[in-house]
Structures are given as C-alpha cells and as structure tokens.
Amino acid sequence: MSLTRISHQFVGQFVILTAITSLPLRAEEVSINFQHYEPETEITRIEINEAPKIDGDISDPVWSKATRIDRFYQTEPVQGAKPSEITVAYMAYDENNLYFAFYCGDSRPDQVLATVMQRDRELWQDDNIRVYLDPYDSSRDAMAFLVNSLGTQMDILIENNSNFYPEWDTIWDVEARRTDDGWTAEMAIPFRSISYNPGVDKWGFEIMRQIRHKNETVRWSQIDQFLPPWNVSEIGSMSGIRDIRQGLGLDVQAFGKLNYERDWMQRPRDDSFTPEASGNIFYKITPSLTGTVTLNTDFSDSPLDERQVNTGRFSLFFPETRDFFLQDRTIFEFGGRAMTPPNTDINGLPFFTRKIGIVNEEIVDLVAGGKLSGRIGSLNVGALSVKMDKTDNIDAETLSVARLSADIFEESRIGAILTHGDPDGTGKNTLAGVDFQYQNSNLFNRGRFLADIFYQRSFSDDVHGPAAGKDDDMFGFFLGYPNDLLRWFISGKEVGNRFEPALGFVNRRNIRDYNGDYVRRKRFEDSWVRWWEGGVIGNIVTDLDNDIETHKFTLVTALQNQIGDEFTVKASNLREVINQPFLIAGELSVPLGDYHFNQFNVLLESSNSRKVIADIGVTCCRIYGGDYLGLNTYLEFRLSKYFRLTASHDMEKFELPTGNLTVHIGSLDSSINFTPDMQIDTQMQYDNISERFSFSARYRWFPRPETEVFIAVGQTADMKSNNFPGDFDPDQTQALIRIGHTFRF
C-alpha cells in the first residue's frame, strides 16, 4: 500500500473520529487498588560459588532458589489488565553482584521484534525487558538496565522523574537467547558499577516488559498510564541487600591512541602521525560519592553533530555528545521544566558543557580536569573543574561549576548552582542560581503535578564593563499537570538584556517568554484507534516593556492506532515583530516589519514496531510576507538485526518579497552489527548552504565489558558548485585507532 493511500485512509478516519464526543470504555475488573499499589519483595542472597553463568540460559541451579516474580499487569493498552503473555523474573545477589534472569514467554515467538544489535541504540523499538534500581529509595532518581532478545544492552540514568539520559554507561554483563516459546535473558550488575547508601535497606525497584510487536507494556509495580516510563515515584521496593562490597572503589580507565591527519588545503602537504595517551580515574570516596580525574581527555569517539542550518533569528543549540560530560550529567541539571518547558526552544541554561573544549567552533584540548559527583548524606553533590589548553587565539582557562541539591518532601528538590570562568577569555564571568522543583504524584485524584521555579544572576566583567544588576538576572516558573488523559502547563521566564552565562547557553535576551498548553486525550478499546487527543498550545514573547515580539497560537489534534502509528494536524497563527533585519541562512534578507501569518502542519509517524519507520512532516504556507514550504522526511530501514540504514532530508523553501531561497540538509547513516559487542557505524551529511560534506566511519568492539577497541575514519570536503553533487574538494582527512581498558580495584 502506498504512503499516499495510507495518508488518505488516515485522514478519512481521522475526520470521522474527531466528530465522536464519547465512546464507552471497558475495563477489566481487578481486585487490586492500583492507586496504592507498591509491591515489596526480598532478594535472595547466594554465595559467590553459586553465581550463575551469564549466557542467557536460565537453567542454572541457582535460579531455583532465587526470588521469583511472576505477577505483572498491563499499563498499555488496558491499565490493570492481565498480560497477554507470561513473564517470570528471578533475582539474587552475592557480595559482588546483583543477578537477574527473565523468562519472556510469547505465543508468537517468530514475531518477537529483534532488530537492534547496538548498545544504547533505541532498544525500546524492540521487544525488551528492563530493571529499574533506586538504591537511595529516593522516588526521584534511578538507573534503568535494558536488554532485548538479541542480548543488546542499554543503560539509562533517570533524573528527578523528569529527564532520562541513555548516554550514561557503566560496566555490567548481559546475555539473551531466543527459544521456541519466547526468549530468556540474564544480567549481572556489579555493585562497583553503581552508587548506593549502605544505610538504606530498601531499594526502589521495578521490572517492566515491552511486548513491542503487540504494542503492549506490562509492569510489576506503578500500574498507571498517567506516569511515563522514566518516572519512579511509585515503584515497588526490594529489601535484603546487605554486606556487599565495592573493593577499593578504584577504576582506572586508560587509553592509547595513534592519530593520523592530513590537511589537503595546506601547501606543502604535511601529514602527521601522533601517538597520544589519555585516561580517567574514578574513585568511590564513599559508596555514594565518586571522585573523577581526567588527563588529556579524549573525545575522538564522539559522533558527528547533527547538521543544522540557521533559518531563524537566534543562534542554534547543539546537544552534547562527548562521553566525559555525559557521565553524571543529571547531578548538574538545573531548573527542571521551568528551564526548558515543552514546545519551546532552549534559552538561558546556566551550565552547558559544550562551552568546555569548543570555543567559537574551534576544538580546544583539555589538559586535565576533576569531578566530584554523588551524595553526601541527604545532599546531591556535583563539582567540576577543567583546565583548558591555550590556542593561537585564546589563553589557557580554568572553568568550574558546582551544583548542590537536597531532596525534600516526598518527591521534590531544592538546589543551587555556581559557575566561574569564561571559555573565550574575553572577560571574567561568574553565575549563581537557586531552584526548587516540586512534584506530587497523588494530587487531584492521583494526577501528577509539577511546580518549578528558578532564579539566576550573572556577574560579568567584559568589554561592556562590570555588571551585577537586575539586567543580569534570569528567572522563571513552571506549573504543570502532565498526565495521560489530561495535560496542561503554564510557564514563564524573564531574561535580562545583560544576562551572560559564559559557561551556559543564551540566544535571546531582554525578553519575557510565556508558554502554555491544554490537551485532553480519550482512549478506546475494541477499536483500531488506541487514543485521540486535541488541544491548544500558546507562546507569547515580549520585551521587558511588554511589547509583543512573538506570538504563536496552535490548535492541535492527533491520534494513535493500536499498532502505534501517529497522525497529527496543527494549525497555527503567528506574529513576528522584526526590530532588527536578519538573513535567513546568511543569504536571504528579512527586513524590519510586523509580520502576521498562518501555518499548517501535518505529521505522519509510523510505529517503532515496523521494519521500515517513516516520519513525514509538511508545513506551509506563509512566512515574513511571502510563501513557505517545509518538508521533513525520515526513513529508517531495519533490514535485519545485522544492518540498519537511516536517511533523512529536511527542505525549507522561502519565496519572499526580497528573494527566493531553498535550504536542503541531507544525511545518510548506517549500522553494521556483527554482534551486540561489535559494530561499524557510518555517517554522511551535506547541506547546500555551506556546501560542505562530512563523512565518519567508526568501528567499535568490546571483547569484554571493560575493554574497548575503537577505529575511526573521517573526511570533510567542499562541494561548491551550482549543480549537486558538484566538485569534491577534500579538506581534511583523519584516521585513528584507540585501545582502552578499565582496571578495577
């Protein structure tokens, strides 16, 4: 069936559905009151010589004496219903490790989705099972360990029930096997790999299974569609862990690298071969507090930044991709959703790690750095100080940040942040801020309620002179009710016209920014539709004299079918007051003016359970007194567990009174997976504005969980020609081989 025919079918059924105001739902009768359902279990202790072999075969004798869990309930599609398939979990521990085994029965084993064979990829696209651990019983923060039927692993940090970070990695072991009636898996999680409080007897604990080929989710605890998968406020608990050890708590991560570079533009050509050594030292000062030292930090395994072209007025935000800064990043998060509410651009972060080691798009070496992260009593502690090397353009700089927060009430947090240093060396800069993040998961008939506030001030001494007044302030708030059948939020923030977080990110000052949305959802049973929702989204930006600079009001309606395909329609009314002319993509001018226009957006997103994932979005029709067309296409071919191909193309076409411009950004990525521990990734990107091509190929092999072999090749080139693909003028070639090992004491 063609995409056009599918789209026509979706539109027809969508129009009929939006006219329906009420349909009865049938819920399975259960005897459990899930509003207060937080099960408990006690884990079995075993001797070291009884430990299972982690090979995915759950016939080891130890599992017969382990703690068994087999009572699970649906959260999707029907809350509290009996699962369609059998799930059994076994758990035990010795003084060194936590052990888990899983039997995931399936009446249609040939349909079990198993396509992801690369660590930390989108494992939720496959049938998977996951373990949540909250060793501090905080009901706020946790670690999640995921595995699919191929034995592919993923580890995630969860921060304050609001954010989750799959970039976090630790050392643990997992294997899985396909069987005639489903699949099985085994995990071993070393106590050396996690932080915990020896004085806490009960750990927060959860097991969740996604039967992706049925779009079904089952859980052991927290049987609530209101709460997203990364919320741990009401998970069950596990007791009985005692007399465990982390050894000396010392991990030494050592890397040796041979680097080759060729600059094709230099004459005479000068190829360079450079051996380099780098390393990180991790020491658990206490079981819950880790100190880290980094020497000659190596970022060679970071992927290419996703290519962007700036078609707006304000500078672009590029997310962090470097492992060293991604580790423990939850400790440094500030402001909650008041800082980055939904449906808005990022603006005003007090601390943004890409300011360290990347100055004015120039890569700067890090000589050394230290980090302290974890807990001291009831305090969450994060401190980082890095010595950045000098270059031809800037002097060596020392950059520092400290973050403290404390858990209060049942689910809330209060904290402060302090940064010092200016990466580009143009002046002195310090920032201080305080925040309060409130959460209540049992408000208004067990709805989840959030209320966040923050305040920060920068202290600068630069070309504009010293500053420390109200113009250097930024503050904001967020009130939200983000639940399944009803969600709404309102937020606001003010950014002073001299607010300058030198170690943070700000791209729009002298404003007040107000946001809000209100969306209702209706769920269906015995229908091809799983849910339908509709609502309104609003955004108003004024200057500090309350004169409007931007407004955007959007009506939105969307539905999801039982497979997981989604169809969304948005209609927006916009106003942009341009007080300073600017260039779209540096080429097409937008003059001063007060522009009013309407835009319409249609988005079709196919289910992650499909072998071919297609996301197609179309936006039109007016902008800045002229015509506009945006087309975003994303295709992912999960051809087999061994090979994945991803292609994307973003096009923006402007036809304005000042001229015409079409922007194209294209990328083509592939993954070749030999085993869950050995892959080759390639990335290719091009845009027609810079006419720059970039290519990266990375081979990674983990012969053991603590050992890594990494090989990479990169190429950049200019392709300046009126006819794509044009001339290929190589710019820079780089190749490297790196071997790393973690020594644990």
Side-chain angles (χ1 to χ4, degrees):
M1 184 180 293
S2 68
L3 271 175
T4 303
R5 184 177 175 187
I6 293 174
S7 300
H8 289 167
Q9 181 180 0
F10 259 98
V11 172
Q13 292 171 327
F14 180 82
V15 172
I16 296 172
L17 182 63
T18 53
I20 300 175
T21 59
S22 178
L23 283 177
L25 295 180
R26 293 190 298 108
E28 181 174 326
E29 293 292 331
V30 294
S31 58
I32 296 176
N33 179 4
F34 288 117
Q35 290 190 4
H36 305 284
Y37 183 65
E38 296 182 17
E40 299 181 4
T41 188
E42 183 170 354
I43 188 170
T44 300
R45 185 182 180 97
I46 62 174
E47 299 300 323
I48 294 177
N49 59 9
E50 296 179 287
K53 181 181 179 181
I54 305 302
D55 57 6
D57 181 357
I58 64 172
S59 64
D60 303 73
V62 68
W63 298 125
S64 63
K65 63 182 292 186
T67 302
R68 173 187 168 112
I69 293 176
D70 56 13
R71 178 174 288 188
F72 294 86
Y73 299 95
Q74 283 189 24
T75 56
E76 290 284 353
V78 181
Q79 179 177 304
K82 181 180 178 181
S84 65
E85 306 290 354
I86 297 173
T87 304
V88 183
Y90 304 90
M91 40 196 275
Y93 79 102
D94 60 25
E95 64 182 43
N96 296 318
N97 301 290
L98 276 169
Y99 301 102
F100 296 94
F102 306 98
Y103 167 73
C104 301
D106 203 296
S107 57
R108 295 180 291 178
D110 58 315
Q111 295 189 26
V112 170
L113 262 173
T115 62
V116 180
M117 199 191 274
Q118 183 171 356
R119 179 170 181 162
D120 290 338
R121 288 296 294 263
E122 298 83 356
L123 210 60
W124 47 79
Q125 294 180 353
D126 279 353
D127 287 60
N128 69 85
I129 198 158
R130 60 187 73 178
V131 172
Y132 295 81
L133 297 177
D134 176 8
Y136 299 102
D137 197 26
S138 67
S139 300
R140 300 167 179 84
D141 304 322
M143 298 162 281
F145 300 87
L146 291 71
V147 63
N148 65 2
S149 63
L150 299 173
T152 308
Q153 65 188 112
M154 184 177 199
D155 31 24
I156 297 174
L157 269 185
I158 299 169
E159 185 257 337
N160 206 27
N161 290 319
S162 299
N163 303 307
F164 68 101
Y165 303 100
E167 301 91 350
W168 173 70
D169 285 325
T170 192
I171 294 175
W172 57 296
D173 198 9
V174 63
E175 292 290 343
R177 294 188 178 191
R178 300 288 292 269
T179 65
D180 293 337
D181 57 351
W183 58 284
T184 60
E186 291 178 302
M187 292 181 184
I189 303 172
F191 291 113
R192 294 182 179 185
S193 296
I194 58 180
S195 297
Y196 61 90
N197 184 348
V200 175
D201 179 63
K202 288 186 178 180
W203 292 18
F205 172 67
E206 167 74 305
I207 297 173
M208 176 177 137
R209 178 185 176 190
Q210 288 183 299
I211 309 172
R212 177 57 68 189
H213 68 95
K214 294 185 176 182
N215 204 19
E216 178 181 332
T217 301
V218 302
R219 301 184 74 143
W220 175 62
S221 64
Q222 198 161 277
I223 315 303
D224 190 343
Q225 290 174 333
F226 280 1
L227 301 178
W230 55 87
N231 186 287
V232 295
S233 60
E234 297 177 32
I235 61 175
S237 61
M238 172 177 63
S239 62
I241 297 180
R242 59 183 63 89
D243 299 326
I244 56 180
R245 63 189 184 97
Q246 293 182 320
L248 295 178
L250 177 64
D251 287 359
V252 178
Q253 198 174 55
F255 298 98
K257 181 177 74 171
L258 180 63
N259 191 64
Y260 164 77
E261 291 187 7
R262 166 176 284 188
D263 187 345
W264 293 82
M265 308 302 293
Q266 184 174 331
R267 296 291 186 274
R269 191 169 295 151
D270 183 19
D271 296 352
S272 65
F273 290 87
T274 309
E276 293 184 16
S278 61
N280 304 308
I281 301 172
F282 305 90
Y283 178 65
K284 287 194 175 295
I285 302 167
T286 71
S288 58
L289 184 67
T290 302
T292 305
V293 174
T294 182
L295 302 171
N296 193 30
T297 316
D298 182 45
F299 301 129
S300 58
D301 60 345
S302 301
L304 296 176
D305 285 328
E306 183 177 344
R307 184 154 301 202
Q308 302 182 56
V309 172
N310 194 349
T311 59
R313 289 188 280 166
F314 310 106
S315 57
L316 299 173
F317 180 85
F318 289 85
E320 181 62 85
T321 60
R322 297 170 296 174
D323 285 342
F324 175 75
F325 293 114
L326 293 172
Q327 298 291 331
D328 299 323
R329 65 179 292 174
T330 60
I331 294 288
F332 297 94
E333 293 300 317
F334 175 87
R337 296 201 181 195
M339 182 60 64
T340 55
N343 310 312
T344 61
D345 295 327
I346 294 175
N347 182 29
L349 296 179
F351 176 54
F352 179 45
T353 54
R354 278 184 68 99
K355 287 294 189 72
I356 300 176
I358 304 176
V359 181
N360 300 324
E361 300 184 358
E362 180 183 359
I363 304 298
V364 182
D365 292 335
L366 302 186
V367 178
K371 181 174 11 177
L372 186 70
S373 58
R375 292 173 71 100
I376 302 176
S378 61
L379 287 178
N380 304 290
V381 178
L384 171 69
S385 187
V386 173
K387 178 73 171 180
M388 202 168 63
D389 204 357
K390 65 179 180 180
T391 70
D392 294 337
N393 302 313
I394 61 173
D395 294 330
E397 296 287 335
T398 299
L399 311 172
S400 303
V401 59
R403 166 75 165 152
L404 293 176
S405 63
D407 298 338
I408 61 174
F409 309 136
E410 291 187 0
E411 304 175 56
S412 304
R413 180 166 288 169
I414 188 169
I417 194 169
L418 180 70
T419 73
H420 181 74
D422 188 347
D424 62 15
T426 58
K428 297 179 180 179
N429 183 270
T430 300
L431 178 142
V434 293
D435 66 328
F436 173 56
Q437 302 173 38
Y438 175 81
Q439 178 165 300
N440 188 326
S441 296
N442 291 282
L443 197 67
F444 306 139
N445 192 26
R446 206 170 181 265
R448 179 169 170 247
F449 177 73
L450 307 175
D452 300 341
I453 58 173
F454 73 87
Y455 169 83
Q456 48 183 324
R457 169 172 284 190
S458 62
F459 303 85
S460 300
D461 185 4
D462 53 22
V463 293
H464 302 293
K470 66 178 183 179
D471 289 343
D472 306 282
D473 292 346
M474 178 180 175
F475 52 87
F477 74 92
F478 176 93
L479 299 175
Y481 189 71
N483 297 289
D484 184 59
L485 302 181
L486 169 64
R487 68 177 185 269
W488 57 261
F489 85 88
I490 56 173
S491 72
K493 60 185 176 185
E494 179 176 310
V495 186
N497 61 8
R498 285 173 56 113
F499 176 69
E500 183 58 51
L503 281 178
F505 176 83
V506 61
N507 64 357
R508 192 172 186 180
R509 300 175 178 84
N510 196 42
I511 61 165
R512 296 188 176 106
D513 190 348
Y514 307 96
N515 293 275
D517 73 9
Y518 181 90
V519 178
R520 295 196 68 97
R521 174 177 290 184
K522 188 171 184 61
R523 287 183 173 269
F524 301 87
E525 289 185 29
D526 301 327
S527 169
W528 65 276
V529 178
R530 176 162 293 189
W531 54 256
W532 167 84
E533 65 182 26
V536 60
I537 302 170
N539 171 235
I540 297 176
V541 180
T542 73
D543 62 19
L544 298 185
D545 294 323
N546 293 316
D547 294 325
I548 290 180
E549 294 186 356
T550 298
H551 85 223
K552 183 177 182 179
F553 300 108
T554 301
L555 295 175
V556 58
T557 186
L559 65 84
Q560 183 187 91
N561 64 16
Q562 292 293 349
I563 301 174
D565 303 313
E566 292 187 22
F567 181 70
T568 303
V569 175
K570 296 179 181 180
S572 303
N573 175 262
L574 298 96
R575 179 186 179 188
E576 291 285 352
V577 180
I578 308 299
N579 296 316
Q580 292 184 345
F582 73 99
L583 296 176
I584 295 175
E587 297 191 8
L588 179 60
S589 65
V590 177
L592 300 175
D594 189 349
Y595 298 94
H596 296 255
F597 51 95
N598 296 319
Q599 288 187 348
F600 302 91
N601 174 261
V602 178
L603 177 63
L604 177 64
E605 300 173 279
S606 61
S607 168
N608 287 334
S609 64
R610 298 187 182 278
K611 293 294 183 68
V612 178
I613 299 174
D615 296 346
I616 300 174
V618 180
T619 303
C620 73
C621 297
R622 300 284 291 173
I623 196 170
Y624 304 135
D627 295 328
Y628 173 80
L629 176 65
L631 177 63
N632 306 103
T633 306
Y634 173 87
L635 295 171
E636 183 173 316
F637 301 90
R638 302 160 70 185
L639 305 180
S640 76
K641 62 184 180 181
Y642 300 109
F643 186 71
R644 175 183 298 219
L645 185 67
T646 302
S648 68
H649 174 243
D650 296 333
M651 184 272 289
E652 291 186 89
K653 185 177 183 179
F654 300 86
E655 295 182 353
L656 306 185
T658 55
N660 300 332
L661 177 68
T662 301
V663 177
H664 294 279
I665 305 174
S667 68
L668 183 66
D669 301 344
S670 70
S671 293
I672 303 172
N673 307 300
F674 304 100
T675 72
D677 301 315
M678 184 189 296
Q679 298 88 26
I680 295 177
D681 288 330
T682 68
Q683 294 176 279
M684 288 187 287
Q685 301 182 45
Y686 171 82
D687 74 85
N688 70 321
I689 300 301
S690 69
E691 296 184 291
R692 295 277 296 170
F693 169 85
S694 57
F695 169 80
S696 171
R698 296 176 299 154
Y699 167 85
R700 194 187 297 268
W701 175 38
F702 293 93
R704 299 173 60 188
E706 63 271 19
T707 303
E708 175 202 38
V709 177
F710 179 75
I711 302 173
V713 177
Q715 177 70 58
T716 59
D718 286 324
M719 303 180 70
K720 298 186 182 301
S721 172
N722 293 325
N723 299 313
F724 181 82
D727 299 324
F728 187 90
D729 294 325
D731 179 15
Q732 193 170 52
T733 301
Q734 186 176 29
L736 65 91
I737 179 170
R738 188 183 79 177
I739 298 176
H741 184 81
T742 300
F743 301 90
R744 314 198 85 172
F745 303 95

